[in-house]
Coordinates of all heavy atoms in Angstrom, one line a residue:
L30 N 101.1 52.7 -7.4 CA 100.2 52.5 -8.6 C 101.1 52.5 -9.8 O 101.0 51.7 -10.7 CB 99.2 53.6 -8.7 CG 98.1 53.6 -7.6 CD1 97.2 54.8 -7.8 CD2 97.2 52.3 -7.7
S89 N 82.2 37.3 -68.4 CA 82.6 36.2 -69.2 C 84.1 36.1 -69.3 O 84.8 37.1 -69.5 CB 82.1 36.4 -70.6 OG 82.5 35.4 -71.5
T112 N 77.9 61.6 -27.5 CA 77.3 62.7 -28.3 C 78.3 63.9 -28.3 O 77.9 64.9 -28.9 CB 76.0 63.1 -27.7 OG1 76.1 63.5 -26.3 CG2 75.0 62.0 -27.7
Q144 N 65.0 58.9 -31.8 CA 64.6 58.1 -33.0 C 63.2 57.5 -32.9 O 62.7 57.0 -33.9 CB 65.7 57.0 -33.1 CG 67.1 57.5 -33.4 CD 67.2 58.2 -34.8 OE1 66.6 57.8 -35.7 NE2 67.9 59.4 -34.8
L239 N 85.1 64.6 -4.4 CA 85.5 65.6 -5.4 C 87.1 65.6 -5.4 O 87.7 65.8 -4.3 CB 85.0 67.0 -5.0 CG 85.5 68.1 -5.9 CD1 85.0 67.9 -7.3 CD2 85.0 69.5 -5.4
N357 N 81.1 56.7 -21.3 CA 80.7 57.5 -22.5 C 81.0 59.0 -22.3 O 81.4 59.4 -21.1 CB 79.2 57.3 -22.9 CG 78.3 57.6 -21.8 OD1 78.2 56.9 -20.8 ND2 77.5 58.7 -21.9
T358 N 80.9 59.8 -23.3 CA 81.2 61.2 -23.1 C 80.2 62.1 -23.8 O 79.5 61.7 -24.7 CB 82.6 61.5 -23.8 OG1 83.0 62.8 -23.6 CG2 82.6 61.2 -25.3
Q366 N 72.9 73.4 -21.8 CA 73.3 72.1 -22.0 C 73.8 71.5 -20.6 O 73.6 70.2 -20.5 CB 74.5 72.1 -22.9 CG 74.2 72.5 -24.4 CD 75.3 72.6 -25.3 OE1 76.4 73.0 -24.9 NE2 75.2 72.1 -26.5
N407 N 86.2 54.3 -34.9 CA 86.9 54.0 -33.7 C 86.3 52.9 -32.9 O 86.8 52.5 -31.8 CB 86.9 55.3 -32.8 CG 87.8 56.4 -33.5 OD1 88.5 56.2 -34.4 ND2 87.6 57.6 -32.9
V474 N 62.8 48.6 -47.5 CA 63.7 49.7 -47.9 C 63.3 50.2 -49.2 O 64.1 50.9 -49.9 CB 65.1 49.2 -47.9 CG1 65.6 48.8 -46.5 CG2 65.4 48.1 -48.8
R516 N 66.3 70.9 -45.5 CA 65.6 69.7 -45.0 C 65.4 69.7 -43.5 O 64.4 69.3 -43.0 CB 66.2 68.4 -45.5 CG 66.1 68.3 -47.1 CD 66.4 66.9 -47.5 NE 66.4 66.7 -48.9 CZ 65.3 66.6 -49.6 NH1 64.1 66.6 -49.0 NH2 65.3 66.5 -50.9
A533 N 69.5 72.5 -37.8 CA 69.3 73.3 -39.0 C 70.2 74.5 -38.9 O 70.9 74.9 -39.9 CB 67.8 73.7 -39.2

Side-chain angles (χ1 to χ4, degrees):
L30 292 174
S89 176
T112 60
Q144 296 296 319
L239 180 64
N357 56 291
T358 183
Q366 290 176 323
N407 296 344
V474 297
R516 292 196 182 281

